[in-house]
Each structure stands twice: as C-alpha cells, then as structure tokens.
Amino acid sequence: MNRLTQISFTAAPAALLAGSLLTRLPGADAVGGPWWAAAHAVLLAGFLMFGVMLLALRRMAGPVTGGWRAAADVATGMALLSTAANVVGLAVDLYNRFESPRVAAWEPFVYGAAFAALVAMAFVLAALRRVTVLSAAVTATGVAVLIGGLLEPALTPVGMALIWLGTLLLSRGPAEPAGQIGYRLH
C-alpha cells in the first residue's frame, strides 16, 4: 500500500469529523463566511481522501469472481459516485460561496450513500476474509450512529469517530496468524 493510500484511512474520516465539528462553530451557518468556508474546504479534502480509501478497499478484495466481484464492484461504484457528487457539490459551493437549496435538500442522501456503500464494502471484505468482522462491525456501528445524528446532531461526531476507528481497523486487513508479524497488501 503506498503512502497516500495508508494516509487516506486516517485522513479521510479525520477530515470528515473535523469538517462536521467546524459546522457547529458559532457563525458557521453564515453561508460564505470564514467558518462555513473552512468547514467546506475540510469536508472537500475529506471526501477526496475518502475516494482514495475506497479504491484501496476495492484492491483489498483482490481478484474475485461471480457474486463477490459484483458485490465489491457495485459497492465501490456506488461509494465513488456518491463521493464524486459530494466533491462536486462542495467545490461548487466553495467557488460560488453559496449553497443551493436544491443541492442541500439532497445532501443527506448523497452523503449517506457513500457511507452505506462503505459498510457494504466492509462486509464484503469480511466475508472474503480480507478484514476482520470486528472492523466491519465497528464501521457499521459508526454509520448507524452517524444516521442517528440526523435526529440528534450531537451523535454526528460520535458516529464519525467510530467510522474513523472502523477504517483504521479495516486498513489492518485480516487477523494475523499466530507467529506472523506484519501484514502487507500486494
């Protein structure tokens, strides 16, 4: 795994967590203001790194056939499409210094699709024994808590922190056999 890919497993969820925290600062709701712009820039960086991480997860699945290949490809495609939509939306917002009401109305669905696909990919990788079931479960729990943040905003950072832990565990790959030290992706 190259350095950028390794960093993406930490940087993507960390930036998404930081961006969500920045949106909670006083004045961050002032569209085009400094905190609003900072939050959008950090979220943009987070989604760019999220894309790198998603491609690495697909590579972790390796050459598989049949239903597993279809599951891995569909989850990756859905996640990359959602991630690209988030990147474009954030870039347009930053460039124009405004949020379109039509885009904002769809944001939870576009945003959520990336995380739903991340969970799907984590469980595909767990089924293929490329990652531990624990790493997939922690990632799924984080996404569930993040969804709960739609009803109780205080849960959003908790969900993002759990997703961060889950992606760190995913990056470690499968449980190592006794006596083996280190794991490398090829």
Side-chain angles (χ1 to χ4, degrees):
M1 199 180 316
N2 68 37
R3 189 77 178 133
L4 177 64
T5 302
Q6 290 173 337
I7 291 169
S8 73
F9 280 92
T10 299
L16 295 174
L17 172 60
S20 73
L21 291 173
L22 283 171
T23 64
R24 291 168 173 23
L25 292 175
D29 57 347
V31 174
W35 289 120
W36 178 91
H40 275 64
V42 171
L43 289 168
L44 176 62
F47 275 110
L48 288 170
M49 292 305 290
F50 196 78
V52 172
M53 181 185 72
L54 291 167
L55 292 172
L57 288 172
R58 177 58 185 96
R59 282 191 302 275
M60 286 173 73
V64 292
T65 59
W68 289 118
R69 179 181 179 147
D73 289 346
V74 166
T76 303
M78 187 172 101
L80 288 173
L81 184 62
S82 173
T83 300
N86 278 293
V87 167
V88 169
L90 288 163
V92 167
D93 284 353
L94 280 169
Y95 180 77
N96 292 320
R97 293 279 190 175
F98 82 98
E99 285 185 280
S100 164
R102 288 179 291 159
V103 172
W106 287 97
E107 188 175 332
F109 300 105
V110 173
Y111 186 71
F115 291 107
L118 172 64
V119 170
M121 192 64 188
F123 280 108
V124 166
L125 290 171
L128 293 170
R129 299 178 190 246
R130 306 295 199 280
V131 299
T132 63
V133 173
L134 175 65
S135 63
V138 170
T139 303
T141 302
V143 171
V145 173
L146 184 64
I147 291 168
L150 294 172
L151 299 174
E152 176 54 56
L155 291 176
T156 300
V158 175
M160 285 307 309
L162 285 168
I163 291 169
W164 189 359
L165 175 60
T167 60
L168 289 174
L169 293 171
L170 288 172
S171 73
R172 297 186 69 206
E176 298 177 28
Q180 182 180 350
I181 299 174
Y183 176 78
R184 293 184 181 199
L185 293 175
H186 299 284

